[in-house]
Amino acid sequence: MAYYLGIDVGTGSARAALVTSSGQVIASHSHATRTWRSASDSRIFEQSTTDIFSAICKCIHAVLSRSGVTKEDVKGIGFDATCSLAVVEMDDPGRTSGGEPVCVTQGEQCGMPGERNIILWADHRAEQEANLINKTGSVVLDYVGGAMSLEMEIPKILWLKNQMPQERFSKCVFFDLPDYLTYLTTGFPARSSCSLVCKCSYIPSGANPNAQGWNDEFFKSIGLESMVEDGYQQLGGVLGRNHKSTLVLTAGMPVGRGLTTWAAEKMGLNPGTPVGSAVIDAYAGWIGTVAARHHHLNHGTVEKELSPSPTLEESQTRLATVAGTSTCYLIQSPKGRFVPGIWGPYKVGACSMNHTNWKWALNYLRPERLVPWVVDE
């Protein structure tokens, strides 16, 4: 029988679920991850890719042990993770483990090798950089509700550029965390459309006839002209210009040749196990809930039969609420509409395997009020 592993990396823990091809969960396990804070700056939240991967491996070993499923029966693995910025040094051909982690902590150690190489999504250090970006009036801002959040990746990258010498900065490669996990486990540097479009200012095909991909004018205007000159290698490259780092994949598409020998040994799986292109955690929640079936309420009585599986058109009428450390509301439509303050519109191929629709997202940072309301109602 075929089984599949789903890996979810949230703000405070990593989780693994082992499922059948019909979606039945056979076993699951979670393991806490570490977050570093600053005693003098409440805006700072930092994590470690080494710590997160260790937690992922522990979760996978636990679900395989608990279920009795062998690694030979695991036919694929998929990742989702928070939209946090992971930073590593340009890959050394002699390394097999995803590049040397680069410290993101302010001070002399910034840009040097170090465990604390993730700026968490909730980190708000890049306020000045976000303000500078939002004064540009660039077309890329149209696709994030008119203003780029300081929680997105480009403001954080710009902050790092302002904190470290150019020679250190030029050696860094930047990943949205979901993409880093597929790179770490496959050794293949393809990026996901989900992360590039939603968090990195990339304009996908079909969104705007006059602007597509990375916007040179935007990067030059904010002081990241070195990325333009280097062909955006630090962000994964330019489609059609660079070699194997040119692939921009939609959700679930295979990454490289699957797990490397190094990653497979750490995870307790077989080399070559297929790895799907990742998504941001909130969008994974959308994929998992927008097609949900439900029990109808008929004159106050709950019917036993489940509703039919919704069509794609019916899914356009559904608002998904994905709750975690924050709550994200997501909806899709066949037409792209520009709504101030609402992230998007994103061409939906960025977030799922459907290329015809658009999606919007609204993030709300008080989930503790949502859960009691859901329970009470």
Side-chain angles (χ1 to χ4, degrees), residues 49 79-88 117-121 151-154 156-157 173-184 190-200 214 234-236 278-283 350:
T49 55
F79 292 95
D80 75 69
T82 64
C83 47
S84 302
L85 181 68
V87 187
V88 296
N117 69 318
I118 294 176
I119 302 180
L120 189 67
W121 67 269
E151 294 179 356
M152 294 181 176
E153 309 305 12
I154 301 304
K156 292 174 180 175
I157 291 171
V173 182
F174 305 99
F175 291 87
D176 200 37
L177 183 55
D179 286 351
Y180 179 75
L181 294 175
T182 61
Y183 171 57
L184 175 67
R191 303 298 180 107
S192 71
S193 186
C194 182
S195 284
L196 292 190
V197 172
C198 298
K199 301 300 174 182
C200 299
W214 303 115
Q234 292 174 280
L235 292 171
V279 292
I280 297 166
D281 53 356
Y283 295 97

Side-chain angles (χ1 to χ4, degrees), residues 150-283:
L150 77 172
E151 294 179 356
M152 294 181 176
E153 309 305 12
I154 301 304
K156 292 174 180 175
I157 291 171
L158 185 57
W159 183 91
L160 288 169
K161 180 182 183 295
N162 293 334
Q163 298 297 317
M164 64 177 75
Q166 178 60 30
E167 61 269 21
R168 291 188 197 171
F169 181 79
S170 64
K171 295 179 181 179
C172 295
V173 182
F174 305 99
F175 291 87
D176 200 37
L177 183 55
D179 286 351
Y180 179 75
L181 294 175
T182 61
Y183 171 57
L184 175 67
T185 53
T186 68
F188 197 77
R191 303 298 180 107
S192 71
S193 186
C194 182
S195 284
L196 292 190
V197 172
C198 298
K199 301 300 174 182
C200 299
S201 80
Y202 188 89
I203 301 177
S205 176
N208 187 320
N210 300 314
Q212 182 175 320
W214 303 115
N215 189 284
D216 292 357
E217 182 181 350
F218 168 66
F219 279 85
K220 290 177 181 178
S221 70
I222 63 173
L224 289 175
E225 61 277 357
S226 62
M227 287 193 166
V228 181
E229 296 164 359
D230 194 37
Y232 298 96
Q233 291 283 10
Q234 292 174 280
L235 292 171
V238 177
L239 188 62
R241 188 187 305 173
N242 308 121
H243 48 92
K244 68 178 182 178
S245 61
T246 60
L247 289 180
V248 180
L249 305 177
T250 53
M253 293 180 68
V255 180
R257 297 182 179 180
L259 293 180
T260 63
T261 300
W262 174 86
E265 290 176 354
K266 295 290 185 180
M267 300 166 86
L269 300 170
N270 279 334
T273 300
V275 176
S277 181
V279 292
I280 297 166
D281 53 356
Y283 295 97

Side-chain angles (χ1 to χ4, degrees), residues 17-357:
L18 184 69
V19 301
T20 65
S21 56
S22 63
Q24 180 184 359
V25 178
I26 301 301
S28 63
H29 186 79
S30 65
H31 192 280
T33 54
R34 184 175 181 183
T35 300
W36 285 268
R37 302 296 309 276
S38 168
S40 58
D41 191 342
S42 62
R43 303 172 301 170
I44 302 301
F45 295 79
E46 296 174 352
Q47 293 187 332
S48 161
T49 55
T50 302
D51 175 66
I52 286 173
F53 185 61
S54 175
I56 289 171
C57 292
K58 290 174 182 177
C59 290
I60 292 174
H61 284 282
V63 297
L64 292 180
S65 175
R66 189 176 303 163
S67 65
V69 171
T70 67
K71 61 183 180 180
E72 287 74 21
D73 290 327
V74 177
K75 304 303 182 183
I77 183 168
F79 292 95
D80 75 69
T82 64
C83 47
S84 302
L85 181 68
V87 187
V88 296
E89 191 169 329
M90 287 286 189
D91 209 11
D92 180 343
R95 288 182 62 88
T96 56
S97 54
E100 180 75 27
V102 172
C103 179
V104 297
T105 305
Q106 186 174 24
E108 293 184 359
Q109 69 269 43
C110 190
M112 301 293 289
E115 182 181 15
R116 295 164 63 167
N117 69 318
I118 294 176
I119 302 180
L120 189 67
W121 67 269
D123 187 289
H124 282 191
R125 71 183 70 185
E127 182 176 2
Q128 292 184 5
E129 289 75 13
N131 290 339
L132 171 65
I133 287 169
N134 290 326
K135 291 177 181 178
T136 65
S138 171
V139 64
V140 305
L141 302 179
D142 294 343
Y143 297 92
V144 288
M148 188 173 291
S149 169
L150 77 172
E151 294 179 356
M152 294 181 176
E153 309 305 12
I154 301 304
K156 292 174 180 175
I157 291 171
L158 185 57
W159 183 91
L160 288 169
K161 180 182 183 295
N162 293 334
Q163 298 297 317
M164 64 177 75
Q166 178 60 30
E167 61 269 21
R168 291 188 197 171
F169 181 79
S170 64
K171 295 179 181 179
C172 295
V173 182
F174 305 99
F175 291 87
D176 200 37
L177 183 55
D179 286 351
Y180 179 75
L181 294 175
T182 61
Y183 171 57
L184 175 67
T185 53
T186 68
F188 197 77
R191 303 298 180 107
S192 71
S193 186
C194 182
S195 284
L196 292 190
V197 172
C198 298
K199 301 300 174 182
C200 299
S201 80
Y202 188 89
I203 301 177
S205 176
N208 187 320
N210 300 314
Q212 182 175 320
W214 303 115
N215 189 284
D216 292 357
E217 182 181 350
F218 168 66
F219 279 85
K220 290 177 181 178
S221 70
I222 63 173
L224 289 175
E225 61 277 357
S226 62
M227 287 193 166
V228 181
E229 296 164 359
D230 194 37
Y232 298 96
Q233 291 283 10
Q234 292 174 280
L235 292 171
V238 177
L239 188 62
R241 188 187 305 173
N242 308 121
H243 48 92
K244 68 178 182 178
S245 61
T246 60
L247 289 180
V248 180
L249 305 177
T250 53
M253 293 180 68
V255 180
R257 297 182 179 180
L259 293 180
T260 63
T261 300
W262 174 86
E265 290 176 354
K266 295 290 185 180
M267 300 166 86
L269 300 170
N270 279 334
T273 300
V275 176
S277 181
V279 292
I280 297 166
D281 53 356
Y283 295 97
W286 178 86
I287 294 170
T289 60
V290 75
R293 301 167 68 190
H294 61 275
H295 294 282
H296 283 291
L297 187 63
N298 186 7
H299 300 292
T301 302
V302 178
E303 296 182 353
K304 293 183 179 180
E305 296 296 324
L306 284 171
S307 64
S309 296
T311 64
L312 177 62
E313 290 72 23
E314 288 172 328
S315 73
Q316 296 167 7
T317 67
R318 295 185 169 192
L319 176 70
T321 303
V322 183
T325 304
S326 64
T327 301
C328 196
Y329 301 87
L330 302 104
I331 195 167
Q332 68 168 352
S333 167
K335 295 183 179 180
R337 296 181 174 86
F338 297 90
V339 184
I342 304 296
W343 293 346
Y346 301 128
K347 197 68 174 170
V348 168
C351 314
S352 68
M353 299 185 74
N354 183 317
H355 293 265
T356 61
N357 286 351

